[in-house]
Amino acid sequence: MKVLVIGGGAREHALCRSLSLDPDVTALHCAPGNAGIAALAEMHPVDAQDGAAVAELAGRLGADLVVIGPEAPLVAGVADVLRERGFAVFGPSGEAARLEGSKAFAKDVMAAAGVPTARSYVCTTAEEIDAALDAFGAPYVVKDDGLAAGKGVVVTSDLAAAREHALACGRVVIEEFLDGPEVSLFAITDGETVLPLQPAQDFKRALDGDEGPNTGGMGAYSPLPWAEPGLVDEVLRTVLQPTVDELRRRGTPFSGLLYAGLAITSRGVRVIEFNARFGDPETQVVLARLRTPLASVLLNAATGNLAAEPPLRWRDEAAVTVVVAAQGYPAAPRKGDAIEGLAEADAIEGAYVLHAGTTHDAEGRIVSAGGRVLSVTATGEDLTVARERAYEAVARVRLDGSHHRTDIAEKAAASA
């Protein structure tokens, strides 16, 4: 199987790593890729949001499967162009990807499907915003209706800050605050069959103790020792399958990766948000634990044959990912700094470095090229061992001005 992965972050590096280990994959390509992916796949320049350009590249490579990583190309309808030209694509149509592209659309789908979520208002005027903020009270949850690269959500007890963010969004969803721990659960689907993966938990705030601004994610871990044993089955029954069924009923079947961001509240499971693709950094830990070869699962989802897929097999090991971010992230990340110590980090038992925002400079050095620069990932017999290995590897990385959280999976490991 020849596989083309679209994207260039740590999520795509994790996907490429898993696909490179699959004996069915005879050729692996990535566009545009990054400095780390270059060691696993042949890289190609492409505008990932240009469906015609992606389809032309897939045709030139003779790709048997195209895997679209980021949300922006999905919402832009790149998967539609590829399907029209006869390619097997892992990723939903532009219409189905509205589940992530519009918070208001997602709320409408959940209401129709009977999926439990936070009460909310969709607002477009200052008067509507003020009424919604007053109705729910603090802490305020304000979400940009559209894509915002993981940074469109503000949760604050500061009314002025909540109002300022809401007014800057144009169309905005304001909703009640959900208490309780958060869980990320991915599911692979072909539009009918839904195959849930193992749950993970990520850390959105920039600083230890969940302080600081929201980010795209500063780390993750899996499994969740504190989660109820029946959690995945419950979410499949009450959230994932009803959502997939509702989209199919509407004539816009969802085929690809459905990501449910969940709050485990005192009143039960509630959906915080949906994404239409693998999440970053949760993908890094979930795929680290997946024993089943990845390519055939994605191909079966892309071709409507997921019901024939045998149950997924998982490693007993735990996995932890720690994000190394550039100076100034998330507000104004600095780029172009040399990254050293990568081979030393990879040499730590059970650890490996996944590149997010990296490139090669004119001298051939690996340098930073984004806010989240690296996802340092490690596995171990339990979360304690996986954490120790991940942080030992992080300590080997040298990137001027970089920062990372030191408490990823700390509480979970202590309670396991």
Side-chain angles (χ1 to χ4, degrees), residues 68 74-85 89 91-95:
I68 302 176
L74 292 168
V75 173
V78 171
D80 301 87
V81 178
L82 287 160
R83 286 196 181 95
E84 287 165 9
R85 302 196 186 181
V89 186
S93 67
E95 184 64 25

Side-chain angles (χ1 to χ4, degrees), residues 73-365:
L74 292 168
V75 173
V78 171
D80 301 87
V81 178
L82 287 160
R83 286 196 181 95
E84 287 165 9
R85 302 196 186 181
F87 293 100
V89 186
F90 184 79
S93 67
E95 184 64 25
R98 288 180 65 205
L99 207 57
E100 175 169 5
S102 169
K103 307 290 190 302
F105 175 75
K107 288 289 188 182
D108 184 62
V109 170
M110 284 188 272
V115 169
T117 186
R119 293 180 297 120
S120 64
Y121 294 102
V122 179
C123 307
T124 55
T125 68
E127 291 75 20
E128 289 173 346
I129 287 167
D130 289 339
L133 292 172
D134 183 59
F136 288 130
Y140 305 101
V141 181
V142 183
K143 298 181 176 182
D144 191 329
D145 180 55
L147 293 180
K151 305 179 196 71
V153 179
V154 165
V155 181
T156 179
S157 293
D158 184 333
L159 177 59
R163 191 171 189 272
E164 181 184 14
H165 181 67
L167 290 169
C169 289
R171 194 176 196 220
V172 66
V173 174
I174 296 174
E175 62 184 40
E176 67 175 327
F177 177 76
L178 296 174
D179 64 315
E182 295 184 12
V183 173
S184 299
L185 186 62
F186 302 161
I188 293 170
T189 178
D190 59 5
E192 291 192 29
T193 300
V194 181
L195 198 62
L197 306 186
Q198 289 290 302
Q201 186 174 59
D202 77 332
F203 295 75
K204 289 293 188 193
R205 299 285 186 170
L207 307 176
D208 285 5
D210 292 327
E211 300 289 335
N214 245 21
T215 73
M218 294 298 292
Y221 70 93
S222 180
L224 312 182
W226 48 267
E228 293 291 331
L231 176 64
V232 172
D233 290 338
E234 179 188 352
V235 175
L236 175 62
R237 184 182 71 256
T238 63
V239 174
L240 299 170
Q241 192 71 57
T243 300
V244 168
D245 292 345
E246 172 62 18
L247 286 167
R248 187 175 68 253
R249 187 191 67 77
R250 292 176 178 222
T252 55
F254 188 106
S255 170
L257 194 291
L258 178 57
Y259 165 133
L262 309 163
I264 313 301
T265 77
S266 55
R267 294 169 292 151
V269 173
R270 296 288 185 273
V271 175
I272 299 170
E273 64 174 354
F274 283 124
N275 290 337
R277 38 73 197 183
F278 279 104
D280 182 346
E282 299 98 319
T283 300
Q284 289 85 301
V285 292
V286 173
L287 291 186
R289 299 186 56 226
L290 181 63
R291 188 183 296 277
T292 299
L294 184 62
S296 65
V297 183
L298 302 187
L299 183 64
N300 281 336
T303 55
N305 296 312
L306 201 57
E309 183 68 34
L312 297 177
R313 293 177 293 119
W314 296 92
R315 295 182 176 87
D316 292 332
E317 292 178 308
V320 172
T321 284
V322 179
V323 170
V324 176
Q327 179 173 315
Y329 178 77
R334 191 173 76 191
K335 302 176 183 179
D337 289 310
I339 305 167
E340 299 177 335
L342 295 173
E344 297 167 44
D346 280 331
I348 301 298
E349 182 182 358
Y352 50 90
V353 179
L354 297 168
H355 292 230
T358 68
T359 190
H360 288 100
D361 67 6
E363 300 167 35
R365 300 180 306 169

Side-chain angles (χ1 to χ4, degrees), residues 3 5 16 20 27-31 33-34 36-44:
V3 183
V5 176
C16 285
S20 73
L28 183 59
H29 302 270
C30 188
N34 62 39
I37 293 172
L40 299 174
E42 185 177 342
M43 299 215 302
H44 307 271

